[in-house]
Amino acid sequence: MSNNNNVSSEAEEFKVGANEAFKAIELDSHNAIYYANRAFAHLKLEEYGSAIQDASMAIQLNPNYSKGYYRRGAAYLAMGKFKEALKDFQQVKKICPNDPDAARKLKECEKAVTKLKFEEAISLPDSERRSVAESIDFHTIEVEPQYSGAKIEGDVVTLDFVKKMMDEFKNQKFLHKRYAYQIVLQMRQILQALPSLVDINVPNGNHFTVCGDVHGQFYDLLNIFELNGLPSEENPYLFNGDFVDRGSFSLEVILTLFAFKCMSPSAIHLARGNHESKSMNKIYGFEGEVRSKLSETFVDLFAEVFCYLPLAHVINEKVFVVHGGLFSVDGVKLSDIRAIDRFCEPPEEGLMCELLWSDPQPLPGRGPSKRGVGLSFGGDVTKRFLQDNNLDLVIRSHEVKDEGYEIDHDGKLITVFSAPNYCDQMGNKGAFIRFEAPDMKPNIVTFSAVPHPDIKPMAYASNFLRMFS
């Protein structure tokens, strides 16, 4: 077991690096090296849109500067834009023909683009695509006599089953694929019946807990339950997206959350994050993990079921909860969110994209996204959205915060992030928010990372992404 509580924050180092590069650019705005250095810091902070902007400026200032193309190509790869990345790495190889590192990365990128083109060639139009779920009958799957793990008796997922399953996961044992199928297929039925915006009612005298990104950190999820109790009708939760990817126990996380939802649909609510998508899962580890621990069919099944996850929740008609943030236009009403056809992979623009990807900014108005997808929005945007919809507060996740949370926009927006010591290197705390009805004032609880087996984050991530980590 490895305990990561003493790991210092690498994020601070990269923030310092970005600030130093910013100061250097202020002194000399025509030096390509300074822009490439700041692009590197943006890459490490996962601000891929900003990295592309700076790398492009470095290239503009010096078209033969290989690191400009290298940094931009790495940012494109991290965003899943393989074809754009390929062009940049081809340019790196042209400038540095004898660089073995450049040659290796170009080869990996070529493989990714070839695979992508093949998948595009054999893919069917949406109208002709058959549901993976409808082709699976878990009842026909035999459970071997020697299997001694958790079992679902009949069609009902019970608390005893979920507890035993979590205990097996804690000891690095797997759930039989029959029961994994049963949970995911039952989850699909539950989610299919939900609207894109779910209204949650918390009766007076009761409480409700909102958690942010978990990102495959199963042992930290167990710690949340240790600190705050297991999900139940008396102790309900909302997990606000990004359950999977990066952490190498994503399958254990998603099966646990899904199993609780099957056990008691009102005990736990789940929202879609930007990482509940094929493009992210292909790069950041969930697809590789599912393929390794279960099968290719499960990869397709999870991709299908993720498309059924709701996009946002409103608690007691006052608290709006969404993974990413708000919109590029004013006047968006809750009815507009309810009307979104969410049963698809996230588009690259529009309301659904912005719900999953956007971030708050300190300045008023709107700005380009540092991620390269969605946008940044100011406190005035938050204020108008709340007023237009008679709401009091926005809760969102999507960003690692040193204390596990951050309060912005004059107290009208709170970011909550529940993956402490993110990726075993950020040194941050995790947090969750408890609300008590009827006053619905947010009570924020922070916690530190706990030990986990010595399996590194990103262990199942794509080869080319690990090359840049």
Side-chain angles (χ1 to χ4, degrees), residues 5 7 27 36 43 58 68 114 151 182 208 261 374 405:
N5 291 346
V7 178
L27 294 173
L43 276 169
T114 300
K151 297 179 180 179
Q182 188 169 349
F208 190 88
K261 184 74 174 174
Y405 73 97

Side-chain angles (χ1 to χ4, degrees), residues 257-403:
L257 297 177
F258 277 10
F260 273 117
K261 184 74 174 174
C262 293
M263 179 195 82
S264 176
S266 61
I268 191 166
H269 302 268
L270 304 174
R272 192 174 192 175
N274 61 301
H275 276 267
E276 278 71 58
S277 64
K278 282 183 184 179
S279 59
M280 293 292 103
N281 298 161
K282 192 179 295 293
I283 301 170
Y284 290 98
F286 184 60
E287 182 177 300
E289 181 181 344
V290 171
R291 190 177 287 118
S292 173
K293 294 178 179 178
L294 287 170
S295 70
E296 187 70 37
T297 304
F298 271 99
V299 170
D300 296 333
L301 181 60
F302 276 113
E304 181 177 313
V305 174
F306 284 165
C307 292
Y308 289 79
L309 286 163
L311 302 177
H313 294 75
V314 173
I315 308 171
N316 282 17
E317 300 182 344
K318 290 299 177 186
V319 182
F320 179 72
V321 189
V322 66
H323 179 73
L326 301 181
F327 311 101
S328 57
V329 295
D330 287 332
V332 175
K333 298 295 183 69
L334 296 181
S335 57
D336 297 318
I337 301 170
R338 288 191 184 95
I340 295 173
D341 181 2
R342 72 183 189 276
F343 302 104
C344 61
E345 288 301 312
E348 293 192 5
E349 58 184 10
L351 296 186
M352 181 172 172
C353 169
E354 291 162 2
L355 284 164
L356 299 178
W357 279 98
S358 294
D359 296 295
Q361 64 180 23
L363 297 175
R366 296 177 172 89
S369 168
K370 61 192 175 186
R371 302 174 188 269
V373 189
L375 71 144
S376 297
F377 60 95
D380 55 331
V381 176
T382 298
K383 183 179 178 181
R384 284 194 297 271
F385 174 78
L386 292 173
Q387 288 176 341
D388 288 347
N389 291 284
N390 195 28
L391 298 164
D392 292 340
L393 180 66
V394 173
I395 301 289
R396 46 89 62 178
S397 303
H398 195 40
E399 286 184 283
V400 61
K401 298 296 180 183
D402 289 343
E403 294 300 312

